[in-house]
Amino acid sequence: MFDNKEHTNIEQLGEFGLIKHLTKNIKLGQPSTIKGVGDDAAVLDHSGKKLLVSTDMLLEGIHFDLAYTPLKHLGYKAIQVNLSDIYAMNGIATQVTVSLGLSSKFPLEAIEELYEGIYIACDKYNVDIVGGDTSASKQGLVISVTSIGYAEEHDIVYRNTAEEDDLVCVSGDLGGAYIGLQLLEREKQVYLENPKIQPDLEGKDYIVERQLKPEARKDIVELLKDIGVKPTAMIDVSDGLASEILHICKQSDKGCNIYEEKIPLDPMTFETAREFHLDPTICALSGGEDYELLFTVKQADYDKIKFKMDFTIIGHITDAAAGCNLITKQGNVHPLKAQGWNAFTNLT
Amino acid sequence: MFDNKEHTNIEQLGEFGLIKHLTKNIKLGQPSTIKGVGDDAAVLDHSGKKLLVSTDMLLEGIHFDLAYTPLKHLGYKAIQVNLSDIYAMNGIATQVTVSLGLSSKFPLEAIEELYEGIYIACDKYNVDIVGGDTSASKQGLVISVTSIGYAEEHDIVYRNTAEEDDLVCVSGDLGGAYIGLQLLEREKQVYLENPKIQPDLEGKDYIVERQLKPEARKDIVELLKDIGVKPTAMIDVSDGLASEILHICKQSDKGCNIYEEKIPLDPMTFETAREFHLDPTICALSGGEDYELLFTVKQADYDKIKFKMDFTIIGHITDAAAGCNLITKQGNVHPLKAQGWNAFTNLT
């Protein structure tokens, strides 16, 4: 993987040397960052605002496969996955801490690539890296990110506050990340069987990028603020649409009707799902990793959102007794089930 | 390891089931915790105070060995290691997030044991668990904790603010955690060679506990406040006294004289080091994992601290040109070197 590159052994640098090397280019841009890397703890000041904190861990072999995941993309994605949770609270992300468990097989140049992706993501989303931990790992690569953000109390959107008749909206399109993963897995198998065959990803950039380099939807949070719409409930789509809408309905003690024909699918997602003999709707419902925002909006806000291209109205909230249903294109009613990607059954 | 216990397969529970099971007994006690586990992010309010954030990752095979580490102790230690960083800023720890990577070989009961230790530590130190992530791990157990605390701006103590002539103090005693580890490693080897021989840890409780169940020194932060002493610089002893005092001196652009005869050693640490043909002073200087607080105090505060039993004056800060020195019992001057436990060379 790193054969054409320069190799610097991280053991020579030692832990403090490595941390120093990796953090020397950190630029702090947030007024709320008082002290970043370099002491026992970071010092932050979000005076007057509510603080938002979220954390996610990515493990090699479970959440990513280095056979087809460029380290720069992985670093970028590790940040996006975490920022997405802050935006899902209708907040602004401001800081992250990044802990890495690194196999000794990694030369310094590989870790630099990983960090480059982390830097690019933080820079683009205006987030400061304020701390972390770097250690050897005897097993595989481990990336644990904690993201910190803020919001005014009246702006925070929880999962458990959807109301009957609210419109259910989702940003972007769904299922692409999952079908991109199927494609990468297939090309990996082809390569393993015959290393001379080059991966065939031609024309599939969009879905491959959805898997390898997702974007957290900070822009949606900003857009909703601009048009004066505060969602009544919100969550990010990490485990698939079905799992996420069930979280909102269960925690809000409500039901929902989701219309299959309204679920936004990119044409490439649709086409490639067909190639794999998969139902594109199932990819959207159960695929996950799209990191879009799923939110509910009062009917009264319909006029403000009806012409917005960045998200789609896919259904509405009902009372709990009506259950959580998918209305198919044929008009059939199916109870929604969370068959999201399960990190545990994945192991079996 | 879990042979006499009930086994519940975590795959049956699934990720959400497991999280629900593990978090159902969380009690929130901090007024600053607005919303804990259960949404995309935790919501906190530390209005008017500066926020402190620190993170540490513990990896199986690097930071702990399950052959001799009870899971309850490990959970307890994972929290202590993190809180220690908040206290080292002279702050009060209030919240933690806990991310776990779990091997599928772990039955639910094992994870419950781990969590029990986490709960006990959080309860004892009055800290809320407000978030986390739980995932399968294909390799070993991974524990990543982020701790959050607060302090008034004028109370925060950094590493880089030691002044010439300040007294260097350290809480408790040093080297015990390291020599406890040597003992556990020896007994593991004996056991591996002959499983019929029971581990011989008789009378060694103190040093074994120093390794397996350290206590972060919240009490020292409180004591210093009570006696009206604000340290000029502070750090926690995770990598050994030498490494930590060098951090303070380097970041403060100062030197120091540390007196070997003043370094606090428990008699059991001293005795057991001798049994292992190790120099007890080297264990204190380079052993690490004691999680004591190392801090500097103005000479003017000497009268306030001179009779305190909870910490020891072990030297003083000099100008940078004088270097960082250990004055041996024989009066020889040796430059201090950080030969702390290095997570990377450890792998070789």
Side-chain angles (χ1 to χ4, degrees), chain A residues 50, chain B residues 28-35 43-47 49 92-95 126 128 150:
Chain A
K50 298 293 177 259
Chain B
L28 301 177
Q30 283 290 341
S32 55
T33 307
I34 311 295
K35 167 90 183 177
V43 181
L44 312 179
D45 183 355
H46 285 87
S47 254
K49 308 282 198 312
I92 302 300
T94 46
Q95 286 92 7
N126 195 19
D128 290 347
Y150 70 88

Side-chain angles (χ1 to χ4, degrees), chain B residues 10-70:
Chain B
I10 55 175
E11 288 162 14
Q12 293 159 7
L13 276 173
E15 185 181 351
F16 297 126
L18 177 62
I19 291 172
K20 198 174 165 190
H21 182 85
L22 294 174
T23 58
K24 68 178 180 218
N25 294 323
I26 288 179
K27 288 185 194 70
L28 301 177
Q30 283 290 341
S32 55
T33 307
I34 311 295
K35 167 90 183 177
V37 171
D39 215 297
D40 294 290
V43 181
L44 312 179
D45 183 355
H46 285 87
S47 254
K49 308 282 198 312
K50 297 292 177 262
L51 196 79
L52 306 170
V53 179
S54 184
T55 192
D56 270 301
M57 191 188 268
L58 300 184
L59 295 155
E60 184 177 346
I62 301 289
H63 301 97
F64 57 88
D65 185 333
L66 290 178
Y68 51 72
T69 309

Side-chain angles (χ1 to χ4, degrees), chain A residues 15 56-59 98-102 132-137 140-145, chain B residues 54-60 62-64 78 81-82 85 99 141-146 341:
Chain A
E15 184 181 351
D56 271 300
M57 191 188 269
L58 299 183
L59 295 155
V98 180
S99 291
L100 299 176
L102 299 162
D133 189 19
T134 306
S135 170
S137 164
L141 178 59
V142 181
I143 310 175
S144 179
V145 177
Chain B
S54 184
T55 192
D56 270 301
M57 191 188 268
L58 300 184
L59 295 155
E60 184 177 346
I62 301 289
H63 301 97
F64 57 88
V81 165
N82 272 274
D85 285 318
S99 291
L141 177 59
V142 181
I143 310 175
S144 179
V145 177
T146 297
W341 182 85

